[in-house]
Amino acid sequence: MRPDEAFPFFGIEIRTPRLSLRLGGDEDNLALARVAASGIYPAGRIPFVSTWAEEDPDVLPRNLLQHRWGNLSGQRPGDWNLHFTVFHEGGPVGVQSLWAKDFGVRRTVNSGSWLGRDFQGRGLGTEMRAAVLELGFATLGAELAHSGSFRGNAASEAVSRKLGYEPNGIEVYAVKGERKISQNWLLRREAWERSRREVISVSGVTPACLEFFGLTP
């Protein structure tokens, strides 16, 4: 039995002009840990609620593996959280997530991502988020997409605006004892259709996948 036969999400692949997104295996996860250890953001400018990327490089691979294993084990029909490994020129460069709760009823997705610093500033962040939006809206029939970014994260804000998101309130977090304000973003289906990139393909979404997504095949 192949991995995608036991767990159908392993068969999904999203392709853009420069990127391939899929769940990947443990060797890919270890390569991701090396990318993260080489740096994701400038020192002192944490863009996430979690500070996992600042862990000791000797510990980070183990913790990243445990996190991704735990994430896979928690998938339930309609309640899913896919951390796609983003491949560029044959190697992993970051992660693009897409998740939902009660998707069959709510038709709403959420996204998050990280990209190694060596690969930033090339438009890959926009391309990888556009990839999962194609899965969410075109393949699964989502009506709304949410995202969020700490104020001052100009790169993430630029991606949201470029893809048609609109500001949608704020949330306040405590990160290492510091008050952080997150700008929420909302993308409506009609706005996504206006900014849609036609050169994205999604493959491997089988009837078994649709059941996991909370949809009737």
Side-chain angles (χ1 to χ4, degrees):
M1 177 179 286
R2 300 190 312 270
D4 61 299
E5 293 176 319
F7 189 70
F9 285 155
F10 275 116
I12 297 175
E13 183 175 19
I14 313 171
R15 299 190 69 88
T16 73
R18 295 182 292 173
L19 306 174
S20 172
L21 284 72
R22 56 186 186 272
L23 289 187
D26 287 344
E27 289 299 321
D28 299 316
N29 292 334
L30 291 173
L32 276 175
R34 291 192 290 271
V35 173
S38 68
I40 298 175
Y41 51 82
R45 295 177 58 185
I46 304 171
F48 315 123
V49 175
S50 170
T51 58
W52 66 271
E54 296 189 344
E55 294 169 349
D56 188 295
D58 294 331
V59 176
L60 195 150
R62 181 189 68 203
N63 288 352
L64 189 144
L65 281 171
Q66 288 179 316
H67 172 71
R68 288 174 74 85
W69 290 336
N71 171 261
L72 287 174
S73 69
Q75 308 294 328
R76 298 291 182 273
D79 296 349
W80 41 270
N81 188 344
L82 301 182
H83 292 271
F84 290 106
T85 301
V86 180
F87 295 88
H88 174 57
E89 296 181 344
V93 297
V95 170
Q96 176 67 63
S97 302
L98 190 75
W99 69 91
K101 186 172 180 59
D102 298 319
F103 180 76
V105 176
R106 298 177 64 232
R107 302 289 176 142
T108 300
V109 296
N110 301 267
S111 68
S113 66
W114 65 264
L115 188 63
R117 289 191 70 186
D118 290 342
F119 307 99
Q120 295 173 15
R122 307 183 194 179
L124 299 181
T126 302
E127 201 165 314
M128 57 202 246
R129 197 189 310 176
V132 293
L133 291 176
E134 185 75 13
L135 172 64
F137 283 109
T139 305
L140 303 180
E143 294 295 331
L144 297 170
H146 291 280
S147 189
S149 56
F150 284 151
R151 286 184 174 174
N153 187 343
S156 181
E157 292 177 1
V159 170
S160 295
R161 294 187 186 279
K162 187 173 184 178
L163 293 176
Y165 289 77
E166 59 190 74
N168 189 43
I170 63 169
E171 291 186 68
V172 181
Y173 294 94
V175 179
K176 298 182 73 171
E178 183 180 350
R179 186 174 184 265
K180 290 276 193 175
I181 297 177
S182 175
Q183 175 67 60
N184 296 329
W185 299 90
L186 173 66
L187 179 63
R188 304 177 192 274
R189 184 177 185 85
E190 54 270 25
W192 166 76
E193 290 174 344
R194 290 193 296 269
S195 65
R196 183 182 183 187
R197 298 184 171 212
E198 300 290 349
V199 288
I200 298 172
S201 65
V202 179
S203 61
V205 180
T206 63
C209 280
L210 293 176
E211 291 182 3
F212 257 101
F213 281 125
L215 301 172
T216 302

